[in-house]
Amino acid sequence: MNDTHPVGLSVVIPVYRGATTIGRLVAALSELRPEGGIEIVLVNDGSPDNSGEVCRQLVREAKVPITFVEHARNFGEHNAVMTGFRHARGAYVINMDDDLQNPPEEVVRLYDHARLGGWDVVYTRYAVKEHEGWRNLGSRFANKVADLLLDKPKGLYLSSFRCCSALVVREVTKYSGPYPYIDGLIMQVTQRITTLEVAHYPRVEGQSNYTLRRLVRLWLNLATNFSLLPLRLAIIAGVAMGVLGFLVAIFVLVEALFGETPSGWASSMMITLLVSGVQFLILGVLGEYVGRAFLSANGKPQGVVREVKHGGEEHP
């Protein structure tokens, strides 16, 4: 490869509770022979198990160039991928999970599809997705939300097993805010995007690291960092409640003019609770935007790197 891209392919892997699987994944990736060569970037995102020590041992025994980066604490998957992107040197960069559900043997096919087709980004899609039912439901919901909020090709499935060109990686990593959502950043950079169907395996060890709380945080990143739609919906809700209040006022006035006793406590409480609920919802949306802007302005870090180690072939 040229001086700008010393290797053809970088594989970025965020590691969290991956001590039992990351060794097998690295061993499988080390046997691959993609055009231009391969390097592996491991980012230990504050994992509470001994993933860090396992990764250091992999660096010492590396057969291919490996970079190990350790975060000072857990910052989240997208933050870890951003850190990995900044240490990747390849003309193309694939990021994948550490749980062996993304087949290592699909990596070269994904890379070649992007490289030979001239695509900036290739997302993977699965004929059968081997996640728990609630996780699949959450993923479908997140993708439906993304259809509304992001300028993305309709129906494109946003998977975390994707291949990006160095151009996209360079532009995406210019974002320094504390709440990255990589797919949202990608959509701001390019529309030269396609998909490739790959296999998806059942989880080998343990349980998914994605809890309902993490998925909600991911949706918030998507909704509040890359779209004004929630604010516009808040405006629409406010207008709708105003119109409803006006209609109710007319109804009460008509009742009073015709000598009937206006509807009493129950209807008043219903309207009060409805309007109050919408007001609190609007305040919550505004508060989320303001809070994130406040934390960003005060320099909340996207990720703090404690340690970087290199193994395998010599790094510059």
Coordinates of all heavy atoms in Angstrom, one line a residue, residues 52-141:
G52 N -8.7 -6.7 29.1 CA -7.5 -5.9 28.9 C -6.3 -6.8 28.9 O -5.4 -6.7 28.0
E53 N -6.1 -7.7 29.9 CA -4.9 -8.5 29.9 C -4.9 -9.5 28.8 O -3.9 -9.8 28.2 CB -4.9 -9.3 31.3 CG -3.7 -10.1 31.5 CD -2.4 -9.3 31.2 OE1 -2.3 -8.2 31.7 OE2 -1.5 -9.9 30.6
V54 N -6.1 -10.1 28.4 CA -6.2 -11.0 27.2 C -5.7 -10.2 26.0 O -4.9 -10.8 25.2 CB -7.6 -11.5 27.1 CG1 -7.7 -12.3 25.8 CG2 -8.0 -12.4 28.2
C55 N -6.1 -9.0 25.8 CA -5.7 -8.2 24.6 C -4.2 -7.9 24.6 O -3.6 -8.0 23.6 CB -6.5 -6.9 24.5 SG -8.3 -7.1 24.2
R56 N -3.7 -7.6 25.8 CA -2.2 -7.4 25.9 C -1.4 -8.7 25.5 O -0.4 -8.6 24.8 CB -1.8 -7.0 27.3 CG -2.4 -5.6 27.6 CD -1.9 -5.1 29.0 NE -2.5 -3.9 29.4 CZ -3.7 -3.9 30.2 NH1 -4.2 -5.1 30.6 NH2 -4.2 -2.8 30.5
Q57 N -1.9 -9.8 25.9 CA -1.3 -11.1 25.5 C -1.4 -11.3 24.0 O -0.4 -11.8 23.4 CB -1.9 -12.2 26.3 CG -1.3 -13.6 26.0 CD 0.2 -13.7 26.5 OE1 0.5 -13.0 27.5 NE2 1.0 -14.5 25.9
L58 N -2.5 -11.0 23.4 CA -2.7 -11.1 22.0 C -1.7 -10.2 21.2 O -1.2 -10.6 20.2 CB -4.1 -10.7 21.6 CG -5.2 -11.7 22.0 CD1 -6.6 -11.2 21.7 CD2 -5.0 -13.1 21.3
V59 N -1.4 -9.0 21.8 CA -0.5 -8.1 21.1 C 0.9 -8.7 21.2 O 1.7 -8.6 20.2 CB -0.5 -6.7 21.9 CG1 0.7 -5.8 21.4 CG2 -1.8 -6.0 21.6
R60 N 1.3 -9.3 22.3 CA 2.6 -9.9 22.5 C 2.8 -11.1 21.5 O 3.9 -11.3 21.1 CB 2.8 -10.3 23.9 CG 3.0 -9.2 24.9 CD 3.5 -9.7 26.2 NE 2.5 -10.4 27.0 CZ 1.6 -9.9 27.8 NH1 1.6 -8.5 28.1 NH2 0.7 -10.6 28.5
E61 N 1.7 -11.8 21.2 CA 1.8 -13.0 20.4 C 1.4 -12.7 18.9 O 1.2 -13.7 18.1 CB 0.9 -14.1 21.0 CG 1.4 -14.5 22.4 CD 0.4 -15.5 23.0 OE1 -0.7 -15.7 22.4 OE2 0.7 -16.0 24.1
A62 N 1.2 -11.5 18.5 CA 0.6 -11.1 17.3 C 1.3 -11.7 16.1 O 2.5 -11.6 16.0 CB 0.5 -9.6 17.2
K63 N 0.5 -12.2 15.1 CA 1.1 -12.6 13.8 C 0.9 -11.6 12.8 O 1.5 -11.6 11.7 CB 0.4 -13.9 13.4 CG 0.6 -15.1 14.3 CD -0.1 -16.3 13.8 CE 0.1 -17.5 14.7 NZ -0.6 -18.7 14.2
V64 N -0.1 -10.7 13.0 CA -0.4 -9.5 12.1 C -0.3 -8.3 13.0 O -0.3 -8.3 14.2 CB -1.7 -9.7 11.5 CG1 -1.8 -10.9 10.6 CG2 -2.8 -9.6 12.5
P65 N -0.2 -7.1 12.3 CA -0.1 -5.9 13.1 C -1.4 -5.7 14.0 O -2.5 -5.8 13.5 CB -0.1 -4.8 12.0 CG 0.5 -5.4 10.8 CD 0.0 -6.8 10.9
I66 N -1.2 -5.5 15.3 CA -2.3 -5.3 16.2 C -2.0 -4.0 17.0 O -0.9 -3.8 17.5 CB -2.5 -6.5 17.1 CG1 -3.0 -7.7 16.4 CG2 -3.5 -6.1 18.2 CD1 -3.2 -8.9 17.3
T67 N -3.0 -3.2 17.1 CA -3.0 -2.0 18.0 C -4.0 -2.3 19.1 O -5.2 -2.6 18.8 CB -3.3 -0.7 17.3 OG1 -2.3 -0.5 16.3 CG2 -3.3 0.5 18.2
F68 N -3.6 -2.2 20.4 CA -4.5 -2.3 21.5 C -4.6 -0.9 22.2 O -3.6 -0.3 22.5 CB -3.9 -3.3 22.5 CG -4.7 -3.3 23.8 CD1 -6.0 -3.6 23.9 CD2 -4.0 -3.0 25.0 CE1 -6.7 -3.5 25.1 CE2 -4.7 -2.9 26.2 CZ -6.0 -3.2 26.3
V69 N -5.9 -0.5 22.3 CA -6.1 0.8 23.0 C -7.0 0.5 24.2 O -8.1 -0.2 24.0 CB -6.9 1.8 22.0 CG1 -7.0 3.1 22.7 CG2 -6.1 1.9 20.7
E70 N -6.7 1.1 25.3 CA -7.5 0.9 26.5 C -8.1 2.2 26.9 O -7.4 3.2 27.1 CB -6.7 0.3 27.7 CG -7.6 0.0 28.9 CD -6.9 -0.8 29.9 OE1 -5.6 -0.7 30.0 OE2 -7.6 -1.6 30.6
H71 N -9.5 2.2 27.0 CA -10.2 3.4 27.6 C -10.0 3.4 29.1 O -10.0 2.3 29.8 CB -11.6 3.3 27.2 CG -12.0 4.0 25.9 ND1 -13.2 3.9 25.3 CD2 -11.2 4.7 25.1 CE1 -13.2 4.6 24.2 NE2 -12.0 5.0 24.0
A72 N -10.0 4.6 29.7 CA -9.9 4.7 31.1 C -11.1 4.3 31.9 O -11.1 3.9 33.0 CB -9.6 6.2 31.5
R73 N -12.3 4.3 31.2 CA -13.5 3.7 31.7 C -14.4 3.4 30.6 O -14.1 3.5 29.4 CB -14.2 4.8 32.7 CG -14.7 6.0 31.9 CD -15.6 6.8 32.8 NE -16.2 8.0 32.2 CZ -17.3 8.0 31.4 NH1 -17.9 6.9 31.2 NH2 -17.7 9.1 30.9
N74 N -15.6 2.9 30.9 CA -16.6 2.5 29.9 C -17.2 3.8 29.3 O -17.8 4.6 30.0 CB -17.6 1.6 30.4 CG -18.7 1.2 29.4 OD1 -19.8 1.6 29.6 ND2 -18.3 0.5 28.4
F75 N -17.1 4.0 28.0 CA -17.7 5.2 27.3 C -18.9 4.8 26.4 O -19.6 5.6 25.9 CB -16.7 5.9 26.5 CG -15.7 6.7 27.4 CD1 -14.5 6.2 27.8 CD2 -16.0 8.0 27.8 CE1 -13.7 6.9 28.6 CE2 -15.2 8.8 28.6 CZ -14.0 8.2 29.0
G76 N -19.0 3.5 26.1 CA -20.0 3.0 25.1 C -19.4 2.5 23.8 O -18.3 2.9 23.4
E77 N -20.2 1.7 23.1 CA -19.7 1.1 21.9 C -19.3 2.0 20.8 O -18.3 2.0 20.2 CB -20.8 0.1 21.4 CG -20.3 -0.6 20.1 CD -21.4 -1.4 19.5 OE1 -22.6 -1.5 20.0 OE2 -21.2 -2.0 18.4
H78 N -20.2 3.0 20.6 CA -19.9 4.0 19.5 C -18.7 4.8 19.8 O -17.9 5.1 18.9 CB -21.1 4.8 19.2 CG -22.2 4.1 18.5 ND1 -22.6 4.5 17.2 CD2 -23.0 3.1 18.8 CE1 -23.6 3.7 16.8 NE2 -23.8 2.8 17.8
N79 N -18.5 5.2 21.1 CA -17.3 5.9 21.5 C -16.1 5.1 21.3 O -15.0 5.6 20.8 CB -17.4 6.4 22.9 CG -18.7 7.2 23.2 OD1 -19.8 6.8 23.0 ND2 -18.5 8.4 23.7
A80 N -16.2 3.8 21.6 CA -15.0 2.9 21.4 C -14.7 2.7 20.0 O -13.5 2.7 19.6 CB -15.3 1.5 22.1
V81 N -15.7 2.6 19.1 CA -15.4 2.5 17.7 C -14.8 3.8 17.1 O -13.9 3.7 16.3 CB -16.7 2.2 16.9 CG1 -16.5 2.3 15.4 CG2 -17.3 0.8 17.3
M82 N -15.2 4.9 17.6 CA -14.6 6.2 17.2 C -13.1 6.2 17.6 O -12.3 6.6 16.8 CB -15.3 7.4 17.8 CG -16.7 7.6 17.3 SD -16.8 8.3 15.7 CE -16.5 10.1 16.1
T83 N -12.8 5.7 18.8 CA -11.4 5.6 19.2 C -10.6 4.7 18.2 O -9.5 5.0 17.8 CB -11.3 5.2 20.6 OG1 -11.8 6.2 21.5 CG2 -9.8 5.0 21.0
G84 N -11.2 3.5 18.0 CA -10.6 2.6 17.0 C -10.4 3.2 15.7 O -9.3 3.0 15.0
F85 N -11.4 3.9 15.2 CA -11.2 4.6 13.9 C -10.0 5.5 13.8 O -9.3 5.6 12.8 CB -12.5 5.4 13.5 CG -13.6 4.6 13.0 CD1 -14.8 5.2 12.7 CD2 -13.5 3.2 12.7 CE1 -15.9 4.5 12.1 CE2 -14.5 2.5 12.2 CZ -15.7 3.1 11.9
R86 N -9.8 6.2 14.9 CA -8.7 7.2 14.9 C -7.3 6.5 14.9 O -6.3 7.1 14.6 CB -8.8 8.1 16.2 CG -10.0 9.0 16.1 CD -10.0 10.1 17.2 NE -11.1 11.0 17.0 CZ -12.2 10.9 17.6 NH1 -12.5 9.9 18.4 NH2 -13.2 11.8 17.3
H87 N -7.3 5.2 15.3 CA -6.0 4.4 15.3 C -5.9 3.5 14.1 O -4.9 2.8 13.9 CB -5.9 3.6 16.6 CG -5.6 4.4 17.8 ND1 -6.6 5.1 18.5 CD2 -4.4 4.7 18.4 CE1 -6.0 5.7 19.5 NE2 -4.7 5.5 19.5
A88 N -6.9 3.5 13.2 CA -6.9 2.6 12.0 C -6.1 3.3 10.9 O -6.2 4.5 10.7 CB -8.3 2.3 11.6
R89 N -5.3 2.5 10.2 CA -4.5 3.0 9.1 C -4.9 2.5 7.7 O -4.2 2.8 6.7 CB -3.0 2.7 9.4 CG -2.5 3.1 10.7 CD -1.1 2.6 10.9 NE -1.0 1.1 10.9 CZ 0.0 0.4 10.5 NH1 1.1 1.0 10.2 NH2 0.0 -0.9 10.6
G90 N -5.9 1.7 7.7 CA -6.3 1.0 6.4 C -7.0 1.9 5.4 O -7.6 2.9 5.7
A91 N -6.9 1.5 4.1 CA -7.7 2.2 3.1 C -9.1 1.9 3.3 O -10.0 2.7 2.9 CB -7.2 1.6 1.7
Y92 N -9.5 0.8 3.9 CA -10.9 0.5 4.3 C -10.8 0.0 5.8 O -9.8 -0.6 6.2 CB -11.5 -0.6 3.4 CG -11.9 0.0 2.1 CD1 -11.0 0.0 1.0 CD2 -13.2 0.5 1.8 CE1 -11.3 0.6 -0.2 CE2 -13.5 1.0 0.6 CZ -12.6 1.0 -0.4 OH -12.9 1.6 -1.6
V93 N -11.9 0.3 6.5 CA -12.0 -0.1 7.9 C -13.3 -0.8 8.1 O -14.4 -0.3 7.8 CB -11.9 1.2 8.8 CG1 -12.0 0.8 10.3 CG2 -10.6 2.0 8.5
I94 N -13.2 -2.0 8.7 CA -14.4 -2.8 9.1 C -14.5 -2.7 10.6 O -13.4 -2.9 11.3 CB -14.3 -4.2 8.6 CG1 -14.5 -4.3 7.1 CG2 -15.3 -5.1 9.3 CD1 -14.4 -5.7 6.5
N95 N -15.6 -2.5 11.1 CA -15.8 -2.7 12.6 C -16.8 -3.8 12.8 O -17.8 -4.0 12.1 CB -16.2 -1.4 13.3 CG -17.6 -0.9 13.0 OD1 -17.8 -0.2 12.0 ND2 -18.5 -1.3 13.8
M96 N -16.5 -4.6 13.8 CA -17.4 -5.7 14.1 C -17.3 -6.0 15.6 O -16.5 -5.5 16.4 CB -16.8 -7.0 13.4 CG -15.4 -7.4 13.7 SD -14.7 -8.6 12.6 CE -15.9 -9.9 12.7
D97 N -18.3 -6.8 16.1 CA -18.4 -7.1 17.5 C -17.4 -8.1 17.9 O -16.9 -8.8 17.1 CB -19.8 -7.5 17.9 CG -20.9 -6.4 17.6 OD1 -20.5 -5.2 17.7 OD2 -22.1 -6.8 17.4
D98 N -17.2 -8.3 19.2 CA -16.2 -9.2 19.8 C -16.8 -10.6 20.1 O -16.1 -11.4 20.7 CB -15.5 -8.6 21.0 CG -16.5 -8.4 22.1 OD1 -17.7 -8.6 22.0 OD2 -16.0 -8.0 23.2
D99 N -18.1 -10.8 19.8 CA -18.8 -12.0 20.4 C -18.9 -13.1 19.4 O -19.6 -14.1 19.7 CB -20.2 -11.6 20.8 CG -21.0 -10.9 19.7 OD1 -20.6 -10.9 18.5 OD2 -22.1 -10.3 20.0
L100 N -18.2 -13.0 18.2 CA -18.2 -14.1 17.2 C -19.5 -14.3 16.5 O -19.7 -15.3 15.8 CB -17.7 -15.4 17.8 CG -16.3 -15.4 18.3 CD1 -16.0 -16.8 19.0 CD2 -15.3 -15.2 17.2
Q101 N -20.5 -13.4 16.7 CA -21.7 -13.5 15.9 C -21.5 -13.0 14.5 O -22.3 -13.4 13.6 CB -22.9 -12.7 16.6 CG -23.3 -13.4 17.9 CD -24.6 -12.8 18.4 OE1 -24.7 -11.9 19.2 NE2 -25.7 -13.4 18.0
N102 N -20.6 -12.1 14.3 CA -20.2 -11.7 13.0 C -19.1 -12.6 12.5 O -18.0 -12.7 13.1 CB -19.6 -10.2 13.0 CG -20.7 -9.2 13.5 OD1 -20.3 -8.3 14.2 ND2 -21.9 -9.4 13.1
P103 N -19.3 -13.4 11.4 CA -18.4 -14.4 11.0 C -17.1 -13.8 10.5 O -17.1 -13.0 9.6 CB -19.1 -15.2 9.9 CG -20.5 -14.8 10.1 CD -20.6 -13.5 10.7
P104 N -15.9 -14.2 11.0 CA -14.7 -13.6 10.5 C -14.4 -13.9 9.0 O -13.8 -13.1 8.3 CB -13.6 -14.3 11.4 CG -14.3 -14.7 12.6 CD -15.7 -15.0 12.2
E105 N -15.0 -15.1 8.5 CA -14.8 -15.4 7.1 C -15.5 -14.5 6.2 O -15.3 -14.5 5.0 CB -15.2 -16.9 6.9 CG -16.6 -17.2 7.2 CD -16.8 -17.7 8.7 OE1 -16.0 -17.4 9.5 OE2 -17.8 -18.4 8.9
E106 N -16.5 -13.7 6.7 CA -17.2 -12.7 5.8 C -16.4 -11.4 5.7 O -16.8 -10.6 4.9 CB -18.6 -12.4 6.4 CG -19.5 -13.6 6.6 CD -20.2 -14.0 5.3 OE1 -19.7 -13.6 4.2 OE2 -21.2 -14.7 5.3
V107 N -15.3 -11.2 6.4 CA -14.6 -10.0 6.4 C -14.0 -9.6 5.1 O -14.2 -8.5 4.6 CB -13.5 -10.0 7.5 CG1 -12.5 -8.8 7.3 CG2 -14.2 -9.9 8.9
V108 N -13.3 -10.6 4.5 CA -12.7 -10.3 3.2 C -13.8 -10.1 2.1 O -13.6 -9.2 1.2 CB -11.8 -11.5 2.8 CG1 -11.3 -11.3 1.4 CG2 -10.6 -11.6 3.8
R109 N -14.9 -10.8 2.1 CA -15.9 -10.6 1.2 C -16.5 -9.2 1.3 O -16.8 -8.5 0.3 CB -17.0 -11.7 1.3 CG -18.0 -11.8 0.2 CD -18.7 -13.1 0.2 NE -19.7 -13.1 1.3 CZ -21.0 -12.7 1.1 NH1 -21.4 -12.3 -0.1 NH2 -21.9 -12.8 2.1
L110 N -16.7 -8.8 2.5 CA -17.2 -7.4 2.8 C -16.3 -6.4 2.3 O -16.7 -5.4 1.6 CB -17.5 -7.3 4.3 CG -18.1 -5.9 4.8 CD1 -19.4 -5.6 4.1 CD2 -18.2 -6.0 6.3
Y111 N -15.0 -6.6 2.6 CA -13.9 -5.6 2.1 C -13.9 -5.6 0.6 O -13.8 -4.5 0.0 CB -12.6 -6.1 2.7 CG -11.4 -5.5 2.2 CD1 -11.2 -4.1 2.1 CD2 -10.3 -6.3 1.7 CE1 -10.0 -3.6 1.6 CE2 -9.2 -5.8 1.2 CZ -9.0 -4.4 1.1 OH -7.8 -3.9 0.6
D112 N -13.9 -6.7 0.0 CA -13.8 -6.8 -1.5 C -15.0 -6.1 -2.2 O -14.9 -5.4 -3.2 CB -13.6 -8.2 -2.0 CG -12.2 -8.8 -1.8 OD1 -11.3 -8.0 -1.5 OD2 -12.1 -10.0 -1.8
H113 N -16.2 -6.3 -1.5 CA -17.4 -5.7 -2.1 C -17.3 -4.2 -2.1 O -17.7 -3.5 -3.0 CB -18.6 -6.2 -1.3 CG -19.9 -5.8 -1.9 ND1 -20.4 -6.5 -3.0 CD2 -20.8 -4.9 -1.5 CE1 -21.6 -6.0 -3.3 NE2 -21.9 -5.0 -2.5
A114 N -16.7 -3.6 -1.0 CA -16.6 -2.2 -0.9 C -15.5 -1.7 -1.8 O -15.6 -0.7 -2.6 CB -16.2 -1.8 0.5
R115 N -14.3 -2.4 -1.8 CA -13.2 -2.0 -2.6 C -13.4 -2.1 -4.1 O -13.1 -1.1 -4.9 CB -12.0 -2.8 -2.2 CG -10.7 -2.6 -2.9 CD -9.6 -3.4 -2.3 NE -9.8 -4.9 -2.5 CZ -9.5 -5.6 -3.5 NH1 -8.8 -5.1 -4.5 NH2 -9.8 -6.9 -3.5
L116 N -13.9 -3.2 -4.6 CA -14.1 -3.4 -6.0 C -15.3 -2.7 -6.5 O -15.3 -2.3 -7.7 CB -14.2 -4.9 -6.3 CG -13.0 -5.8 -5.9 CD1 -13.2 -7.2 -6.1 CD2 -11.7 -5.3 -6.6
G117 N -16.3 -2.4 -5.7 CA -17.5 -1.7 -6.1 C -17.4 -0.2 -6.0 O -18.3 0.5 -6.5
G118 N -16.3 0.3 -5.4 CA -16.1 1.7 -5.2 C -17.1 2.3 -4.2 O -17.4 3.5 -4.3
W119 N -17.6 1.5 -3.3 CA -18.5 2.0 -2.3 C -17.8 2.7 -1.1 O -16.7 2.2 -0.7 CB -19.4 0.9 -1.8 CG -20.2 0.2 -2.8 CD1 -20.0 -1.0 -3.4 CD2 -21.5 0.8 -3.4 NE1 -21.0 -1.2 -4.3 CE2 -21.9 -0.2 -4.3 CE3 -22.2 1.9 -3.2 CZ2 -23.1 0.0 -5.1 CZ3 -23.4 2.1 -3.9 CH2 -23.8 1.2 -4.8
D120 N -18.4 3.7 -0.6 CA -17.9 4.4 0.6 C -18.2 3.6 1.9 O -17.4 3.5 2.8 CB -18.4 5.8 0.8 CG -17.7 6.8 -0.2 OD1 -16.6 6.5 -0.6 OD2 -18.4 7.7 -0.6
V121 N -19.4 3.0 1.9 CA -19.8 2.3 3.1 C -20.6 1.1 2.6 O -21.5 1.2 1.7 CB -20.7 3.1 4.0 CG1 -21.1 2.3 5.2 CG2 -20.0 4.4 4.4
V122 N -20.4 -0.1 3.2 CA -21.2 -1.3 2.9 C -21.6 -1.8 4.3 O -20.9 -2.2 5.2 CB -20.3 -2.4 2.2 CG1 -21.2 -3.6 2.0 CG2 -19.8 -1.9 0.9
Y123 N -23.0 -1.8 4.5 CA -23.6 -2.4 5.7 C -23.9 -3.8 5.4 O -24.2 -4.2 4.3 CB -24.9 -1.6 6.0 CG -24.7 -0.3 6.7 CD1 -24.7 0.9 6.0 CD2 -24.5 -0.2 8.1 CE1 -24.5 2.1 6.6 CE2 -24.3 1.0 8.7 CZ -24.4 2.2 8.0 OH -24.2 3.4 8.6
T124 N -23.8 -4.6 6.4 CA -24.3 -6.0 6.3 C -25.7 -6.1 6.7 O -26.2 -5.4 7.5 CB -23.4 -6.9 7.2 OG1 -23.5 -6.5 8.6 CG2 -22.0 -6.9 6.8
R125 N -26.4 -7.1 6.1 CA -27.7 -7.4 6.5 C -27.8 -9.0 6.7 O -27.0 -9.7 6.1 CB -28.8 -7.0 5.4 CG -28.6 -7.7 4.1 CD -29.6 -7.1 3.1 NE -29.6 -7.9 1.9 CZ -28.8 -7.7 0.8 NH1 -27.9 -6.8 0.9 NH2 -28.9 -8.5 -0.2
Y126 N -28.8 -9.4 7.5 CA -28.8 -10.8 7.8 C -30.1 -11.5 7.4 O -31.2 -10.9 7.6 CB -28.7 -11.0 9.4 CG -27.6 -10.2 10.0 CD1 -27.8 -9.1 10.8 CD2 -26.2 -10.4 9.6 CE1 -26.8 -8.4 11.4 CE2 -25.2 -9.7 10.2 CZ -25.5 -8.7 11.1 OH -24.5 -7.9 11.6
A127 N -30.0 -12.6 6.7 CA -31.2 -13.4 6.4 C -31.9 -13.8 7.6 O -33.1 -13.8 7.7 CB -30.8 -14.6 5.5
V128 N -31.1 -14.3 8.6 CA -31.6 -14.7 9.9 C -30.7 -14.1 11.0 O -29.5 -14.3 10.9 CB -31.6 -16.2 10.1 CG1 -32.1 -16.6 11.5 CG2 -32.5 -16.9 9.1
K129 N -31.3 -13.3 11.9 CA -30.5 -12.6 12.9 C -30.6 -13.4 14.2 O -31.7 -13.5 14.8 CB -31.0 -11.2 13.1 CG -30.1 -10.3 13.9 CD -30.5 -8.9 13.9 CE -29.5 -8.0 14.7 NZ -30.1 -6.6 14.8
E130 N -29.5 -13.9 14.7 CA -29.5 -14.7 15.9 C -29.4 -13.9 17.2 O -28.4 -14.1 18.0 CB -28.4 -15.7 15.7 CG -28.4 -16.6 14.5 CD -29.6 -17.7 14.7 OE1 -30.2 -17.8 15.8 OE2 -29.9 -18.3 13.7
H131 N -30.3 -13.0 17.4 CA -30.3 -12.3 18.7 C -31.6 -12.7 19.4 O -32.5 -13.3 18.9 CB -30.4 -10.8 18.4 CG -29.1 -10.1 18.1 ND1 -27.9 -10.4 18.8 CD2 -28.7 -9.2 17.2 CE1 -26.9 -9.7 18.3 NE2 -27.4 -9.0 17.4
E132 N -31.7 -12.3 20.7 CA -32.9 -12.5 21.5 C -34.0 -11.7 20.8 O -33.8 -10.7 20.2 CB -32.7 -12.1 22.9 CG -31.6 -12.8 23.7 CD -30.3 -12.2 23.6 OE1 -30.1 -11.4 22.6 OE2 -29.4 -12.5 24.4
G133 N -35.3 -12.2 21.1 CA -36.4 -11.6 20.4 C -36.5 -10.1 20.8 O -36.8 -9.3 19.9
W134 N -36.3 -9.7 22.0 CA -36.5 -8.3 22.4 C -35.4 -7.5 21.7 O -35.7 -6.3 21.4 CB -36.4 -8.2 23.9 CG -35.0 -8.3 24.5 CD1 -34.5 -9.5 25.0 CD2 -34.0 -7.3 24.7 NE1 -33.2 -9.3 25.4 CE2 -32.9 -7.9 25.2 CE3 -34.0 -5.9 24.4 CZ2 -31.7 -7.2 25.5 CZ3 -32.8 -5.3 24.7 CH2 -31.7 -5.9 25.3
R135 N -34.2 -8.0 21.5 CA -33.1 -7.3 20.9 C -33.4 -7.1 19.4 O -33.2 -6.0 18.9 CB -31.8 -8.1 21.1 CG -30.6 -7.5 20.3 CD -30.0 -6.3 21.0 NE -29.0 -5.7 20.2 CZ -27.7 -6.2 20.1 NH1 -27.3 -7.2 20.9 NH2 -26.8 -5.6 19.4
N136 N -34.0 -8.1 18.8 CA -34.4 -7.9 17.4 C -35.5 -6.9 17.2 O -35.4 -6.1 16.3 CB -34.9 -9.3 16.8 CG -33.7 -10.3 16.6 OD1 -32.6 -9.9 16.4 ND2 -34.1 -11.5 16.6
L137 N -36.4 -6.9 18.2 CA -37.5 -5.9 18.1 C -36.9 -4.5 18.3 O -37.3 -3.6 17.6 CB -38.5 -6.2 19.2 CG -39.7 -5.3 19.3 CD1 -40.6 -5.4 18.0 CD2 -40.6 -5.7 20.5
G138 N -36.0 -4.4 19.3 CA -35.4 -3.1 19.5 C -34.6 -2.6 18.3 O -34.6 -1.4 18.0
S139 N -33.9 -3.5 17.6 CA -33.2 -3.1 16.4 C -34.1 -2.6 15.3 O -33.8 -1.7 14.6 CB -32.3 -4.3 15.9 OG -31.3 -4.6 16.9
R140 N -35.2 -3.4 15.1 CA -36.2 -2.9 14.1 C -36.8 -1.6 14.4 O -36.9 -0.7 13.5 CB -37.3 -4.0 14.0 CG -36.8 -5.3 13.2 CD -38.0 -6.1 12.8 NE -38.8 -6.6 13.9 CZ -38.5 -7.8 14.5 NH1 -37.5 -8.6 14.0 NH2 -39.2 -8.3 15.5
F141 N -37.0 -1.4 15.7 CA -37.6 -0.1 16.1 C -36.6 1.0 15.9 O -36.9 2.1 15.3 CB -38.0 -0.1 17.6 CG -38.4 1.2 18.1 CD1 -39.7 1.7 17.8 CD2 -37.6 2.0 18.9 CE1 -40.1 2.9 18.3 CE2 -38.0 3.2 19.4 CZ -39.3 3.7 19.1

